[in-house]
Amino acid sequence: MTTSSQSCGVCDLRHINKPSTIWCTECDEGLCTECREHHSLSKGTRNHKVIPITEYTKLPSDVLKISQNCIKHNEKFQIYCQKHECPCCSKCIVESHKECHDIVNLDEVILNSKTSNALCEIEETLVEVAENLQKIREHQQDNLSTLKERRKEIEEEIEKTRIKLNNRLDKLQNDLIKQLNAYKDKEKSKISQLLSSLEKKEKEVADCQRNIRNIKQHGTDLQMFLSMKPIKEEVSSKEKFIHSLFQGEDLNQNSLEYKINGAVQNIMSNVNSFGEVYIEAKPCHLVLSMKNAKQAQIMVPTVQAKSIENIQLKINKTINTQGQRIYGCCMLPDGRLVFTFCNERTVKVFNIEGSKDYEVEIPDGAFDIVYIVDNSILAVTSGDSDKQCLTIIDLERKEIKKTFSLTSDNYGIVLKDNQLIYSAYNKGIRMLNLYDESSSDIVQEEMPSEGYLATFKDNIYHTNRLTHTVTCYNLQGGIQWTFQNETVLNNPLGVVVDNDGNVYVVGFWTNNVVVISPDGQRHREVLTESDGLYNPVSLHYSGLKKQLLIANWNDQAHLFDFI
């Protein structure tokens, strides 16, 4: 911009200060009302494009700085150098762009720039960015609301715990006071009985003393003599009574004492806090708008995948699962472990030490299980149970929340973009929306029973115990690859995928875990029977904790760390 947009450029040259009313984009200057009329009639400028000065000043400041003329030579831009991506005047070509071959007419470059695909892409990207910013803002606002609600819930939980403690301590106190009163009443009764006996003996002794005085004073010597023997016997009985008291325990000085329970003492000395409040980081499941593939590549950084040859595992702990016919397992974000028991029709939750915390009965059958972090619930398939359904367990309430009726037996289950994908036996592989309960088919071919599922990006992995295969499908049901090697993987069941796309499968008869490369071309045995695997059925991968949980069919599960 060669002149100020606020004053007329022509008048400025005549040293007259007049405000501009229009802006000529080709002359690159503002014009007042009088100059505007001359400008529109002049042969050289009558076809120039002009806009109201009020509209021109709405342009961004960076755009207003862009001049139609070359700043260095004060000549109009005519040529565009594609090599240096800059407009040039005729002098710029001679001085700086002699060797440049990618030079085109500027008018051809800027023609239809306002309707070009490049601008459309920029505008679409801005729309996407605005949508994503709105989603992120709403997501974080929801997070604030959740924090507020959760703080209130935790406060109520703390108060309930305090009330339970108070009630428990009140009961213990009342029981101890009752025991104290019982001991006091018992000792009081014993002492009262002794005092009564002592009063009786004292009275008898006083009577004996009075009789002796009376006999001495009023009786004859013969009476005195003959009375002495029975009196002596009576006195002797009184002495024996006193000696018996000292020899026995009746005269013990019994005192009430109090000794505090060691556990209560430990509470006062060792318990330094009422509990622990912490922030649990959960992965964000926000799905961003991503129409441009190139942008998606820019936003998601490339990470070097870990080769299956470099995968190593070491045992962390062995869990006594206290039951048989385990078909499903998963890990919760806080480290607790969950297992399904088909025979018992229960789901058992174990704490981080490996001890059972609690269990929930599943009357309609329990096969595989998946944790849904957004709602803190578990989804459990029913296997070949008489009632074909999906059971939802509320982890906070430790009870069944809801049951979805299905139209087929159902086995392996996974979560994908807030929708459940399950192996539907003779119906293939199906998807269920938890919110509107709508369902759709992904793979329509018949599947065997006890088929397990895993997902990674746009792929779905399914095990077939009858054909001893692992098949990778895309989300449209198209087969990407199939792995089969009965010598190393026989009767494959549970399957998971790590963050690098490597596929882990348990072999029920081969007592092992085999990892398959993301393209399905290479494989490697990473765990065997010597690692504690005996008829392994199910497994779970935790990317956050870098751990692999494997459940044997009976009695044991093993937790391994990636090293």
Side-chain angles (χ1 to χ4, degrees), residues 52-112:
I53 195 67
T54 54
E55 298 298 323
Y56 176 75
T57 54
K58 292 179 181 180
L59 292 173
S61 58
D62 290 341
V63 175
L64 292 176
K65 293 177 183 178
I66 299 175
S67 174
Q68 299 290 329
N69 297 332
C70 174
I71 298 175
K72 183 177 180 180
H73 303 111
N74 197 25
E75 288 192 6
K76 191 175 182 64
F77 288 127
Q78 297 175 338
I79 305 297
Y80 186 79
C81 178
Q82 298 186 56
K83 178 181 178 181
H84 295 96
E85 295 183 346
C86 66
C88 307
C89 67
S90 57
K91 291 182 180 179
C92 290
I93 297 296
V94 176
E95 292 181 5
S96 307
H97 299 271
K98 288 182 179 180
E99 306 298 327
C100 298
H101 300 290
D102 297 330
I103 293 177
V104 295
N105 190 291
L106 182 61
D107 291 337
E108 294 178 0
V109 175
I110 65 175
L111 183 65
N112 301 322

Side-chain angles (χ1 to χ4, degrees), residues 414 416 419-424 427-432 439-445 447 453 455 458-461 473-479:
V414 289
K416 173 71 173 175
Q419 298 197 78
L420 293 172
I421 301 175
Y422 63 94
S423 180
K427 296 290 182 68
I429 299 176
R430 309 204 75 201
M431 181 181 290
L432 173 69
S439 60
S440 58
D441 294 320
I442 298 177
V443 178
Q444 295 185 349
E445 64 183 81
M447 295 291 174
L453 290 167
T455 64
D458 293 332
N459 291 334
I460 300 173
Y461 306 84
Y473 300 91
N474 60 27
L475 292 178
Q476 291 72 44
I479 296 178

Side-chain angles (χ1 to χ4, degrees), residues 322-340:
Q322 307 172 26
Q324 298 183 340
R325 293 193 68 187
I326 298 173
Y327 277 104
C329 68
C330 70
M331 295 177 63
L332 303 182
D334 58 8
R336 289 182 295 168
L337 311 176
V338 186
F339 303 93
T340 60

Side-chain angles (χ1 to χ4, degrees), residues 306-308 310-313 452-454 461 463 470 481 489 492-507 512-517 524 526-527 538-541 548 550 562:
K306 190 170 186 178
S307 171
I308 62 172
N310 298 326
I311 294 173
Q312 291 184 337
L313 295 159
Y452 285 80
L453 290 167
Y461 306 84
T463 58
V470 180
W481 52 260
L489 189 61
L493 294 176
V495 57
V496 294
V497 186
D498 67 17
N499 294 336
D500 297 319
N502 300 310
V503 184
Y504 300 77
V505 190
V506 295
N512 61 354
V513 170
V514 174
V515 59
I516 305 170
S517 62
R524 176 171 162 257
V526 291
L527 293 172
S538 179
L539 72 172
H540 175 91
Y541 170 75
L548 187 69
I550 303 172
F562 284 86

